[in-house]
Amino acid sequence: MGLFNKKVLLEAPASGVLKPITAVPDDLFSTKAMGDGYAIEPTSDEVFAPVKGTVTSVFPTQHAIGFKTKKEEVLLHIGLDTVSLNGEGFHLTVKEGDTVTPETKIGTVDFDLIKQKGLASDVIVIITKTNKKLTLDVDGNVTAGQTVAHLE
């Protein structure tokens, strides 16, 4: 093992039901075309950072946020096809350049509105550029901020 083989821990960005990225009902995510990751079917409107790092981008429609850790790039994608909402129902409180931890609430999302519009509410965490293997450490119900996966 050694000192240079540290695990990168990944947290739940929302409370809800954890599922592998392969179970997300969208081929762009489930085929890992954008990278490996996982998803949460949320049970609360609060959304938190999935990693300790810096916010690198907040999409104008607020449906996606980019993060940079010391070594990884992570994308948090909220809902499926939610770009079509043009920000409706999203209330993010972070901006590019902010430093965050898994305890940082990055905003709230009206998941009921997303479902009323006929869209999936999955909160998806994608590791966009890595050669490390992602392993889910738990399954089922999780709490925001709980360690749910690691890269090794």
Side-chain angles (χ1 to χ4, degrees):
M1 289 299 238
L3 292 173
F4 301 105
N5 207 6
K6 285 188 171 185
K7 290 181 183 178
V8 175
L9 301 179
L10 301 162
E11 322 302 328
S15 294
V17 180
L18 177 71
K19 62 184 181 181
I21 199 163
T22 54
V24 172
D26 184 307
D27 287 346
L28 182 64
F29 300 107
S30 64
T31 62
K32 302 181 184 180
M34 294 183 64
D36 204 352
Y38 53 92
I40 308 275
E41 291 181 32
T43 55
S44 167
D45 288 348
E46 296 182 321
V47 179
F48 294 81
V51 293
K52 179 180 180 181
T54 303
V55 176
T56 56
S57 63
V58 177
F59 285 58
T61 53
Q62 298 190 40
H63 77 288
I65 304 105
F67 300 93
K68 176 86 171 122
T69 69
K70 287 184 180 177
K71 296 187 179 195
E72 308 299 332
E73 292 181 20
V74 178
L75 178 68
L76 181 67
H77 195 280
I78 304 169
L80 297 175
D81 299 321
T82 49
V83 66
S84 65
L85 298 177
N86 204 30
E88 182 184 5
F90 293 85
H91 306 285
L92 300 185
T93 56
V94 293
K95 63 187 180 319
E96 197 172 308
D98 285 355
T99 300
V100 295
T101 69
E103 293 81 30
T104 305
K105 181 177 167 183
I106 61 172
T108 58
V109 178
D110 187 343
F111 289 112
D112 289 336
L113 173 73
I114 290 172
K115 292 174 190 171
Q116 287 169 7
K117 300 277 186 177
L119 304 173
S121 62
D122 295 21
V123 179
I124 307 162
V125 177
I126 306 135
I127 316 312
T128 56
K129 297 178 184 175
T130 190
N131 57 0
K132 296 178 182 164
K133 180 183 182 321
L134 182 132
T135 302
L136 291 179
D137 298 324
V138 297
D139 60 10
N141 291 322
V142 296
T143 303
Q146 176 182 348
T147 300
V148 296
H150 70 274
L151 294 172
E152 196 166 26

